[in-house]
Structure formats: C-alpha cells, structure tokens
Amino acid sequence: MSLSSQLLPPVPEDTARIARAAFRRGNPYVLLCDQLGAVFADADFADLYPKLGQPAYAPWRLALVTLMQFREGLSDRQAAEAVRGRIDWKYLLALDLADPGFDFSVLCEFRGRLLRHGATERLLARLLDAAREGGLLKARGRQRTDSTHVLAAVRDLNRLELLGETLRAALNALARAAPDWLRATAPADWHERYDRRVEDMRLPDAGPKRDAYVVRVGTDGFLLLDALDGAEAPEGAGDLPEVAVLRRVWARHFERAGAGSRDGNTGGDPAGGVRLRPAQGRGPGDRVESPYDAEARFRSKAGTSWTGYMVHLTETCDEGLPRLVVHADTTPANVHEAMRTAPIQDALAAKGLAPSEHLVDAGYVSAEHLVAARERHGIDLIGPARPDQSWQKQEEGAVRVTDFVVDWERRRARCPEGHESTSWGEYRDKVSGRPYLRVGFSPADCRPCPSKPRCTRAPSRRLGLHPRPEHEAIAAARVRQDSRAGRRLYAQRQGIEGTISQGVRAFGLRRARYRGLAKAGLQNVAAAAAINLDRLAAWLAGRPLAPTRTSRFAALAA
C-alpha cells in the first residue's frame, strides 16, 4: 500500500442535502463536521505508508471511522457496513451516497500500521489539536486523573489448566512453523493430551492420578524444550513467542528432581524426575496468567480481583470548557498507581498540555511526587498525603512530628518542651533507595520530661523525616487537605469517576477487545478519543452535563 496525499474533499452536494433533510433536529457527526471539519488529514499518517505500491484507502477517513466505531461499540464488519449504509457517517467522511466503502479488513490493517510505527497516540493527539485550535482546550489549566481495571481477553485458568494450555500453545505454534520436525519429534500420546483445550478434557480428580498427570505434563514440556535446544531443531523454532512463554512458565512451576535445578534450566535427563514447585503468590510479580496473553497480570485491589491491565485516564476540568480526556495510559494490572504519576505528567508536558493543578487520589501521591511534579513541570500535585500511622497521630493530645521545629541549617530539631536533638543521620532505604533522616533526642532530656507519656514509649524520642524539600511539601499538602478551601478544591477530583463510568458503560473500557499490552493501549487511546468526540458534539450542541443521579428515597432526606 502507498499513500498519495490529497486535499480533503468537500461534502458532496447530494450527501449534504439528504443529511440535512434527514436530521432536521441535528446530528452529532453532522455538527462535528460543520464545526471542526475532518479533524484528520492524510499528512498526519504519511510516514506510515511506503512511497510506492497500490494506493491505500484514505487514512484520515480510517481514523475517523475508528473513532466512530469505538464511540458506538461496533465490530470491524459493523463499522464497514455503517460506512456503506449510514448518511451521517458519509457526511462526516465526505463520501458520495453511492460510495461502496471498503472491506472490513482494512480497519485491522490500519490499526496494525499504527501499532508497528508506535503511532496510536495520533488518534487522540490530532483531536486535541482540533479542540485547541477551536479554543476548547487550554494548557496550564486544571486536570484530574484516576484509573480502572481492564479485563484481558482471555479465560481465567487455574494452575493445572495454565500448564497444559501453555504446552498446547507452544505445540500449535511449532505445528505452523516446523510441521515436519514436530511430526517426527512428538510422541503419539501427546495427541491424546494436547489436541483439545485442557478445559474441554476430563482431568483426573485430586489425588495421585492428578499428581501423576501434572508430572507427565511437566516431563513433556522438558522433552520439547530439550529437543528445541538440540542441534537438529529447526532454525528459529526456539525463538517463537509461544516457546519463550513455555520456558518462563516451566521455570516458575517446575524443577528437575534429578538435576536439582531451581532456576528452570532445561538441561539434564527428564527421566531423573520432575517436581512441581510449591505454589507461589499470584502477585505482584512477573507471573504469566495465560499463554494467549503473556502480558496480562493478576491483581487484587479493594476487594476486586482480575487478570489484565490498568488504564489511567486524565481529563481537563476547567470552568467554561468541555471536559476532554487528554491522556490514556495503559499498564499491566500489577503496576501500582504511584509508578505512573511521573510518566503521565511527562506525557502531558510532551503534548504541551501540562496542567498547573493536577488532582489525583492517594495512590498517586507521595512526598517525592509532590516535589518532582513542581520542579520538573511546575505542576501543583493535589491529593491526600499518606496518613501518619504512628500512635501519636491516633491518640488525642499526643506530641506529633508536626509539633517539632526543624532547623535545617543547624541540623537540629527542637521539641515542644524546648529540648534540642542530639543526633542527625542521613540514610537510604535498603529496598527503595529513597533518602530519609533519623533525628534522635537524648534520654537524659526525655526521661524527666513531663510530656514523655504523650511523646514516646521508648527511652527517648526519635523522628523519621523526609529530606527538607519533601518534608515541607508533605506538610503543606496536609495543611491544605485540612482546610476548607483545600477540601473544596479536591472535591473536583470526583468528576473523573463519572468519566470512567461513562467509559465503562458506553465505550467498553473495562473489557479488552484485543490481546497484548500494545493492542490494549490502542483500544484505550481510541476509546478516550471517542469519548472526546462525543463530548465535543454535546458541547457544540449546547447540551448541558447530566446531573448526578439521586434515588427517590435519598431525595426525601434533601
């Protein structure tokens, strides 16, 4: 396929006439076309296509079709049919009424080009550019971020099913890549165990028969891996993705009793025996949950357990402007929210859309984040600081860390009774490597102190402090959090939960259409752009935001 850049055509007269007659009360796509134009242009995707070859279908149209497809939750076939049969789609795409459209496979090929060239973000970026050009989006405003889980497009497997399906997936991949070699290598009884999906078979009940089946599967896997490592193995067969997953799963779940291996080494004699390793926790970690989506991870959060991914949505919340999603960040499920605060802000700054105020929940906030956001991008990160877990914080009238005066220049701290610290040490956490301070007071001052019962239960008080920038940032955050104005400001963060609800209910945000992190990320970017398409149409039509739903019984109290 090649691309010859062309000027964007106007809407054909017959299409415009029929559309205006059919939609006298207005239509979102007609309104968007009239107000914002085509949004995309062929030049936005020119680098995705070669210079020579058969002419490709106009990518600016495919980008719009992708957004409309995700807005309405259509499959590729349904979207291609809508291009052929719907007047409002033809109006936005500037197509003649008799235009036959394209084959549905063109959409899959277009998404593949976006993935191969790392261009998925363009679906959202160009729509944001159009909003910015229309005065509907501004930088250095106020934004908010929250996340939700995304279920992978795979079946949940127990441990036995995972082992059998991983070996079966590797055998199917080898049957495509090296059929003659596999036919000569695979024993006849493998077909009895791996021709059908494991969940469709009658597996042995718990007990010796089930244990023997597990050992048999483990031995079969090691036999296959040994054969792939041998000199007669076809070139490239051992590098197949499914074989790589087999090695990872076998290294985690099996060990060879004879070789005494504990690192998953496939050398040695399988006849020496295969043992199932003790069951390990399901996360966090790098545990493969399904051979058909090796990047999906298990996580349990707030009573919800799932296998898949997390998507973090960031949207604007400025007064007098539409709420637009400016970034969609997708990660494996076991990546904590705190790990994404900085990357999200870096991505916003790269787009020229860094906010002045960034509203987030407690999962995204730490003392280091507060300082880094301000120093790197001038962003005021607003969210609940992690609570003080000390007993002094929980007991009324106790002497808290905030009651001590810290003299950073003299490297001293003074308690409410006027005693100064006698030690000041700088250390690094052995796990995270983060610096912290340990400030100690003399037992000679603390023992006779009348405030000691309210201050410490040890012979003397010791303070654990952040370095000065983090200490002052976290103290200021807690002061703002306790103020009335701070609580009113932070209350605006709740609006992002409505966006996530809209994404889940209307745009299928919580279920992955595709397998793999890159494809799940493309889906979430396209869904974010489709949400913006819907909101821009509502804003241009003057449709107000829907009020928060209140049950009739709750309304009685009001």
Side-chain angles (χ1 to χ4, degrees), residues 31 535-545:
L31 181 60
R535 291 184 171 187
L536 285 171
W539 179 269
L540 295 172
R543 191 170 75 233
L545 293 174

Side-chain angles (χ1 to χ4, degrees), residues 318-388:
D318 298 305
E319 287 294 330
L321 292 174
R323 308 314 196 232
L324 298 179
V325 180
V326 292
H327 188 62
D329 181 61
T330 305
T331 68
N334 60 349
V335 176
H336 193 272
E337 290 83 344
M339 303 296 293
R340 303 310 301 169
T341 304
I344 289 171
Q345 293 176 347
D346 291 343
L348 293 171
K351 297 178 182 181
L353 291 172
S356 61
E357 296 176 330
H358 191 188
L359 308 177
V360 296
D361 67 18
Y364 296 90
V365 179
S366 71
E368 293 79 7
H369 289 139
L370 294 170
V371 174
R374 186 177 300 277
E375 291 181 349
R376 296 177 64 182
H377 304 298
I379 297 175
D380 187 8
L381 184 64
I382 301 173
R386 295 180 182 177
D388 183 358

Side-chain angles (χ1 to χ4, degrees), residues 12-253:
E13 292 184 4
D14 286 347
T15 303
R17 178 173 54 83
I18 297 298
R20 298 195 184 283
F23 304 112
R24 295 184 178 182
R25 295 185 178 181
N27 177 274
Y29 298 138
V30 173
L31 181 60
L32 285 169
C33 184
D34 293 341
Q35 296 290 332
L36 298 181
V39 179
F40 299 100
D42 283 345
D44 298 330
F45 308 96
D47 59 320
L48 309 186
Y49 293 83
K51 299 292 184 183
L52 302 176
Q54 181 182 357
Y57 196 83
W60 72 269
R61 286 193 173 109
L62 294 177
L64 277 175
V65 171
T66 299
L67 299 195
M68 293 188 288
Q69 172 188 8
F70 277 85
R71 179 179 181 267
E72 301 185 20
L74 305 180
S75 66
D76 288 352
R77 289 180 182 272
Q78 291 171 328
E81 287 294 333
V83 172
R84 282 188 285 272
R86 286 180 51 176
I87 297 173
D88 52 346
W89 282 46
K90 288 183 179 292
Y91 188 94
L92 182 57
L93 299 173
L95 293 175
D96 188 79
L97 292 175
D99 190 282
F102 52 82
D103 186 79
F104 72 93
S105 62
V106 174
L107 287 172
C108 181
E109 192 271 341
F110 176 67
R111 292 194 301 269
R113 288 185 185 275
L114 294 177
L115 288 170
R116 287 194 298 273
H117 293 82
T120 58
E121 190 65 28
R122 298 183 194 182
L123 295 175
L124 178 60
R126 188 61 193 96
L127 191 63
L128 295 176
D129 290 341
R132 185 156 36 187
E133 293 164 4
L136 302 178
L137 176 64
K138 67 176 183 178
R140 309 305 299 174
R142 184 177 295 158
Q143 297 175 13
R144 51 198 179 194
T145 296
D146 205 354
S147 63
T148 188
H149 62 276
V150 179
L151 303 178
V154 292
R155 180 180 179 273
D156 286 339
L157 303 174
N158 60 36
R159 194 181 190 189
L160 185 57
E161 291 171 338
L162 171 66
L163 298 174
E165 278 300 311
T166 300
L167 180 52
R168 202 178 76 89
L171 290 172
N172 283 328
L174 289 167
R176 291 190 298 269
D180 295 334
W181 175 84
L182 184 61
R183 186 181 297 110
T185 303
D189 60 344
W190 283 16
H191 292 282
E192 299 177 7
R193 286 191 290 274
Y194 310 116
D195 276 359
R196 293 181 297 158
R197 294 184 66 92
V198 174
E199 63 264 25
D200 294 336
M201 300 171 57
R202 185 181 296 276
L203 296 176
D205 294 333
K209 291 185 178 180
R210 194 178 188 91
D211 295 340
Y213 177 83
V214 173
V215 171
R216 184 69 262 172
V217 172
T219 302
D220 292 344
F222 281 126
L223 284 171
L224 179 62
L225 292 173
D226 288 344
L228 288 169
D229 291 336
E232 298 180 359
E235 183 178 358
D239 298 328
L240 293 173
E242 292 82 359
V243 174
V245 173
L246 177 65
R247 294 186 190 276
R248 290 174 57 188
V249 171
W250 254 237
R252 185 179 184 103
H253 293 275

